[in-house]
Structures are given as C-alpha cells and as structure tokens.
Amino acid sequence: MTDEAVWHGGWHGQGNGLARFEQKEIEGLYGQSAVGVVIHRGLQAIFANDAYARMMGCKDAADFMQDTDIAQYIPPAFHREAQKLYDRFIATVGFHGWKKVYNIRRDGSPVWLEISDETIEWEDGRALLTTAQVIENGTTAMQVDHMLGRSFIGVTVHRDMTALYVNDAFARLTGAKNASDFMTNPDLSRFVDVSMREQSAAYSQKVLQGVVAGDRRRECSYLDDGREVWCDLTDERILWHDGKPAVLTTAHDVREEVRMTGMLMRNKNSLENAVAEVIRMVPTAVAMFDEELHVLHFNREFSRLFAQNPAVYPAATPEFDVSGLRAIYREMTRAGHDHADRNGVMTPSGRLADIRTNRLQGGGMMVSALDVTDHKEVEKQLAVLASTDPLTEVLNRRGFEGAVSRLQDIRRLRNKAWQYGIAMLDLDYFKQINDRFGHACGDRVLQEVAAVLRRALREDDLVVRLGGEEFAVLLPSATAEVTTGIARKLANLIGSIRLPDDEGNADAVSVTVSIGVTIGGDIGDSEIDLPTALLVGDRALYQAKQNGRNQIVYADPTLPAAMIMPDEVPPSNGQGKAGTDLEPGEK
C-alpha cells in the first residue's frame, strides 16, 4: 500500500506518515486473527496475539509475553541480519513488503513463515508491526514415492544425515535389498568416510537451512562391507509432509564410468585396446575421437544418443551426427582448456544429455554423455509440486507469485500497461462444516470451490489457495467494475454448491463466501505492486467479515483513504449470515 493509503478501520494517520495504534485498537483488530501479529521495538515484543504465540510454540499470547526477547526465535546465524533489518525499517516509513523467513519454535523445531513488516507509532515512539503466516504446503512422502518409487535414479529425503525416505534404487546402491531393508538403519553418515563426516554433515545442514543451493557433485560412498560406490549426486531443499524442511538427494550410479576412467589412467600404453573394451561395457554414452574428430570407439548408449541410424548397432557402424560435439571441442581448445562440461544438450535422438569432453594427449577427444531426460522430467514434476496446492490442485502462494511475475513481464515486453483485479475469498463459517460433517467433508468443499473457480474463469486468470479456507483470484486487465462483477458471479456460484454428507444425505452441505475486491498494477500515476494489492484486498475481506459475511467489499488502493464499499450478495442458501452459535473467533 502507498504511504498515502489509510485504512479506515484499523489505525489513524500521523503527520509524519506513520500509522498510530492504541492497545485497544490492536487487540480489536488482531487479537482473534488467524494471522500472527507481533509488535516489537529493539527485537523486544510489546504485543503479540495468540496466533503468533502458537506459531512460536507457545500456548497463547500471555505465555509468549513471559519472555519478550524475539531473538530467541531467530536462528543465531540470522541475528545480525535481523538487527540490521530492524534498524533500517525503524528509520523509514510505511510497509516494507513480504519475505519468507526461517524461525525456531520454543521446543527447537523449525517453522517457515511468510511475514510482512510495517513501521508504526506505538505509545511513546516508533515500533515495528510484523504479521506472519505459516508456509504449510510441503512435499509429502506419498507424492515423492508415487513419482520416484520405481525410478532407476536413487532418491532419498533426509534430515540431519538421517533418511526419512528412500526408494528401492537408492537402497540397492547402498547394498540393501530394498527400501524397507534400508530403513532398518536410516543413518546416512555411515556411508561417508570418517574423515569427511563432519564436513558432509555441515554441507547438508546448509542445504537444509537454505544457506546454499545443492550443486551436482561426484562422491565416493563406502558400503557396510567396505566396498566403494561412486555416485553423481544432486541436492534440493524441500518442505516435507511434517511441515519442516528436508533435503532431497538424487543419486546416479557412475561406478562403471569411474572404473573406466581408472582403467584409462592405468593403461596409457595400450589406450586404444583398453578404451574399446571398456567403452562397450559402461552404461553411460562414451566415445573416443581421433585427431580429425572422427569416431573411433563407441558403445551402444552413444549410438542411441548420437547415431542417425542407431538400429544397425552392433551389426554395422552407424552414421553419427556429432557436429555439436565437434563445436564443443573447438570452443574448448580455443579457450585453452583440456576439458569442458555442457549440461542439458539436445542430442540428435531428441534426448537431453549432460556432456563432458576431454582432450587426449596426442590429439583427439574422449566424450561421455549422460542421458538426463528423465531426471529433468522429475525436476519439472518437483517444481509443479512446489507451486501447487496438493488438495485443490490450484496454485499455492509460491506458484501464484511466480505466475504473476511472468504475466507482468510478458505484458511489459509487449509495451502494454500492467493492470489487474484481485478478489480475496474466504468461506464463511467453514469451521462449522468441519465440526458438523468432519474434515473429509470440509476437504470436499474446498475441492469443489476450487473447481468452481477454475471453471468460471478465463484460461489466463489465476486461482490460488492462500491457506485454510481462503482463496484469491487475479484477473489480468480487469477494471474495478469488471472485477466486482466477476466477484458477484463467483459468490453466486459458490453459494449454489450443494454436496452430500458422509451419510449420503443429498444437498446436506452448503457454504457462502465473503469477498474483498481491489485492483493493482499501473493505476493512473500510481503503481500498486502485488503485496500491496493483496494487503488492500485482505483488509477489504476483513471488512466484509466484520459487516456480517456473505457479501463483497471493494477497496480502492489509490485514494488518500481506502474507500471500502460494500456490495452485498443476497444469501443463496439457508446459511446466509447464520451461525450465531459459533464460538468467538470462528469464521
């Protein structure tokens, strides 16, 4: 939100541009909110609501305020950065944007949050108001096992060098019969040389904390019987089904490739014969080229990737398309290098390969190529998991932000204004549905609402589940009037939902929705970015809830004071504004 935009319901503008809060106001606004709120000065808490206290592992706000030092919930490595951010924010005015942070609960368990900060006036001076939401969409063991359980690539998910999950391929790499056999002893450090265990554990911890991105590397592991296993490994930080970060490691067996390299090193005097034999044995695509860069020796895998007629192998010599490999070699030699790596190269067979070229003494080159097509597909599937809500199959917040960024870039590349409408939707009295009909029924309601939203909107409109029973839709190029009209349509469609309960009673379950509407992008002389638009829309949604639910409220982010205007939708079922038997704080 711009510094000039002032929301009527929550705070009073000051001459210095800061919002001023009183104790009663903040308790009325956020005391019962599901969004965590803490007000602090010098990293010492002045106020916290129950939601924030529970995020930090406390019973309630009173329990949290027994020790007001916020630094205890921040990992020590980030204390200095947290103090720097606080000093910078407290010296400026207004809203400071959203960011993802890693906190530690009181019991020592990790929690990932999405937070925003705003500088405010509180009693006798400035303070920082921080709102927080838990990032809950993790990669579940079932999803990983469904995708990777039968993969030939070894996969393990681990934390603190202890496996949480392995597939059969990884288990067999380590000498176990299968994944079940391996998990009788999930300690991964036993495969690391004793002298490297501390270093390996430290690296894994950095990947786990998001300090470093896992690089592809080649390592030697030692099995329980003392045998060596060489693998190409990649690491990726994910959220596991328990909501905590974990490391997903893929392992590709390269023992034969390493053995081949060792044999070449030991047999320089008979290189031609040794290479010809070893190349035929290894599963990786391997070929040896002479001084004129013609193929001398190759194996079946190289023929599959680079031959124009691979079906003739081994009865006859295939015709190869190696123009790309020759170009890599010439570029390598011009740069004065003896080897070169190229990842994700499209081969004549239409497969993607990671290629390594080595210049040989006396001329010529050795090429090894690893088919990574299946691995890239796995990476794409993991990216989909990371950006999609698994229950409703609509975007999660991470995927939503990425999709909005891509839409904005495309729009501006075409020299067109970037404008959009946003509708924030929250299902009314959803806890009542869970309590009365059960959480399985509640999940079906969420799935049906998501399906209704997808069917009712255009292909380039975006639907996101922000968490719980809250959704949002983004409508590219939509005006305030158009967005409000579509919000009415969506409210009516959702209000028309009728689902059976678990006992088979038809039309037993229904729901209404409260909607906050706003606009963003290039609006007149203002630029309303996505975090600001979401904040304005959320405040409009809050006002719709306060006004009695089952209605639409529009907020204009460009006005000096946010003009929040109700646009009531007549109740479409018997629920309407009922539900007075709910406990305080229920939606």
Side-chain angles (χ1 to χ4, degrees):
M1 182 180 292
T2 60
D3 292 341
E4 293 79 22
V6 180
W7 180 51
H8 284 313
W11 45 272
H12 309 294
Q14 301 296 305
N16 59 8
L18 292 178
R20 179 175 183 83
F21 284 85
E22 303 292 341
Q23 180 76 28
K24 291 183 179 179
E25 286 182 312
I26 201 69
E27 290 177 351
L29 283 171
Y30 295 114
Q32 301 298 322
S33 174
V35 176
V37 175
V38 60
I39 298 176
H40 54 99
R41 183 181 292 132
L43 298 183
Q44 295 293 317
I46 302 171
F47 167 86
N49 66 355
D50 288 343
Y52 187 85
R54 288 191 289 269
M55 290 176 187
M56 297 299 105
C58 304
K59 294 180 180 178
D60 51 29
D63 183 24
F64 176 91
M65 293 299 290
Q66 293 294 318
D67 184 354
T68 61
D69 182 16
I70 296 177
Q72 65 183 300
Y73 305 106
I74 302 173
F78 297 98
H79 283 180
R80 183 178 179 184
E81 182 66 18
Q83 186 63 52
K84 286 170 61 179
L85 285 176
Y86 170 82
D87 293 340
R88 178 156 61 88
F89 290 168
I90 209 68
T92 55
V93 174
F95 180 72
H96 305 298
W98 292 86
K99 53 187 172 292
K100 295 178 176 64
V101 298
Y102 169 66
N103 278 29
I104 300 175
R105 294 189 177 97
R106 179 175 286 181
D107 62 2
S109 63
V111 58
W112 280 90
L113 303 174
E114 192 161 30
I115 70 169
S116 68
D117 295 295
E118 183 177 2
T119 307
I120 65 170
E121 286 284 349
W122 178 269
E123 297 181 351
D124 58 343
R126 291 188 176 192
L128 209 61
L129 184 151
T130 299
T131 62
Q133 298 184 66
V134 176
I135 302 174
E136 298 176 338
N137 293 318
T139 304
T140 69
M142 183 179 296
Q143 291 167 327
V144 170
D145 192 61
H146 177 72
M147 290 196 319
L148 305 176
R150 293 180 173 84
S151 173
F152 70 92
I153 299 173
V155 176
T156 177
V157 178
H158 56 95
R159 187 184 293 137
D160 299 326
M161 299 301 289
T162 300
L164 306 174
Y165 165 85
V166 297
N167 66 354
D168 287 343
F170 188 90
R172 288 191 292 269
L173 276 176
T174 61
K177 295 179 181 178
N178 50 40
S180 178
D181 182 28
F182 177 94
M183 292 302 288
T184 60
N185 183 4
D187 179 20
L188 296 175
S189 63
R190 73 183 196 269
F191 304 116
V192 182
D193 185 80
V194 175
S195 63
M196 297 296 293
R197 286 180 183 175
E198 184 175 345
Q199 179 180 343
S200 180
Y203 170 80
S204 179
Q205 192 65 24
K206 289 180 180 178
V207 176
L208 182 70
Q209 295 174 353
V211 177
V212 298
D215 294 325
R216 189 169 185 171
R217 66 195 189 280
R218 179 164 294 182
E219 285 189 358
C220 178
S221 299
Y222 297 88
L223 303 186
D224 294 336
D225 60 6
R227 287 180 297 155
E228 291 184 354
V229 176
W230 284 89
C231 294
D232 279 349
L233 305 174
T234 59
D235 297 298
E236 182 177 0
R237 183 182 176 280
I238 64 171
L239 289 181
W240 196 233
H241 65 86
D242 57 5
K244 301 176 183 179
V247 180
L248 185 149
T249 297
T250 60
H252 189 86
D253 186 357
V254 293
R255 281 177 287 188
E256 291 298 329
E257 186 176 342
V258 170
R259 185 166 72 89
M260 182 198 74
T261 302
M263 289 180 65
L264 292 175
M265 295 281 294
R266 293 188 297 269
N267 294 279
K268 290 183 179 180
N269 294 331
S270 55
L271 183 60
E272 288 285 331
N273 293 333
V275 168
E277 181 61 25
V278 174
I279 283 176
R280 284 193 291 271
M281 295 170 55
V282 298
T284 305
V286 178
M288 182 177 178
F289 291 67
D290 63 16
E291 296 87 341
E292 302 298 325
L293 299 185
H294 297 136
V295 177
L296 282 179
H297 304 289
F298 60 93
N299 63 356
R300 182 185 295 274
E301 182 69 1
F302 187 86
S303 175
R304 184 178 72 88
L305 294 180
F306 292 95
Q308 295 176 344
N309 52 341
V312 305
Y313 180 89
T317 301
E319 297 178 6
F320 293 105
D321 181 356
V322 292
S323 56
L325 300 177
R326 289 168 179 162
I328 294 173
Y329 179 82
R330 286 191 289 268
E331 181 182 343
M332 175 186 74
T333 54
R334 279 197 302 268
H337 298 153
D338 291 328
H339 64 271
D341 295 304
R342 298 290 186 273
N343 294 331
V345 176
M346 181 65 70
T347 67
S349 64
R351 306 285 290 180
L352 294 174
D354 288 352
I355 296 174
R356 183 177 180 86
T357 57
N358 290 277
R359 182 161 55 178
L360 300 175
Q361 290 184 359
M365 69 173 173
M366 177 71 71
V367 173
S368 63
L370 175 64
D371 186 342
V372 295
T373 309
D374 295 333
H375 181 75
K376 293 294 184 182
E377 184 61 30
V378 167
E379 289 180 343
K380 287 173 59 178
Q381 292 173 350
L382 289 174
V384 170
L385 281 176
S387 61
T388 304
D389 174 55
L391 175 65
T392 61
E393 297 183 353
V394 299
L395 295 172
N396 60 22
R397 183 179 287 272
R398 173 181 174 181
F400 175 66
E401 291 174 349
V404 172
S405 179
R406 289 191 294 273
L407 283 176
Q408 180 177 358
D409 290 343
I410 292 171
R411 196 75 178 174
R412 289 180 172 168
L413 281 172
R414 295 174 178 174
N415 294 320
K416 294 184 179 181
W418 168 239
Q419 298 179 0
Y420 55 89
I422 282 186
M424 309 283 285
L425 300 88
D426 194 293
L427 303 184
D428 298 325
Y429 303 108
F430 186 71
K431 184 176 184 298
Q432 190 179 55
I433 293 176
N434 282 334
D435 292 344
R436 180 178 176 184
F437 300 105
H439 287 277
C441 184
D443 287 347
R444 292 197 300 274
V445 170
L446 293 174
Q447 290 169 333
E448 182 62 23
V449 168
V452 165
L453 295 177
R454 288 197 302 268
R455 289 194 299 266
L457 298 174
R458 301 171 300 179
E459 185 175 348
D460 58 346
D461 296 333
L462 301 179
V463 181
V464 56
R465 182 186 178 196
L466 297 173
E469 65 271 27
E470 188 172 356
F471 295 81
V473 297
L474 183 140
L475 311 171
S477 304
T479 64
E481 182 178 0
V482 169
T483 305
T484 304
I486 292 176
R488 293 193 198 102
K489 174 185 175 182
L490 297 178
N492 288 327
L493 289 173
I494 292 172
S496 300
I497 291 174
R498 298 292 184 274
L499 296 175
D501 59 17
D502 289 341
E503 297 178 357
N505 298 313
D507 299 339
V509 184
S510 60
V511 68
T512 61
V513 64
S514 300
I515 304 179
V517 175
T518 189
I519 54 176
D522 302 326
I523 310 298
D525 295 330
S526 302
E527 181 179 346
I528 310 300
D529 59 19
L530 181 62
T532 301
L534 290 174
L535 181 62
V536 175
D538 197 52
R539 288 176 174 173
L541 173 61
Y542 178 82
Q543 190 64 51
K545 289 288 188 181
Q546 290 294 101
N547 292 350
R549 300 176 175 83
N550 192 24
Q551 56 186 274
I552 299 168
V553 169
Y554 170 75
D556 187 339
T558 66
L559 297 179
M563 301 296 291
I564 300 181
M565 302 184 298
D567 187 324
E568 294 193 4
V569 177
S572 57
N573 55 39
Q575 200 169 348
K577 298 180 181 180
T580 55
D581 58 330
L582 293 178
E583 297 180 1
E586 292 183 351
K587 295 182 177 181

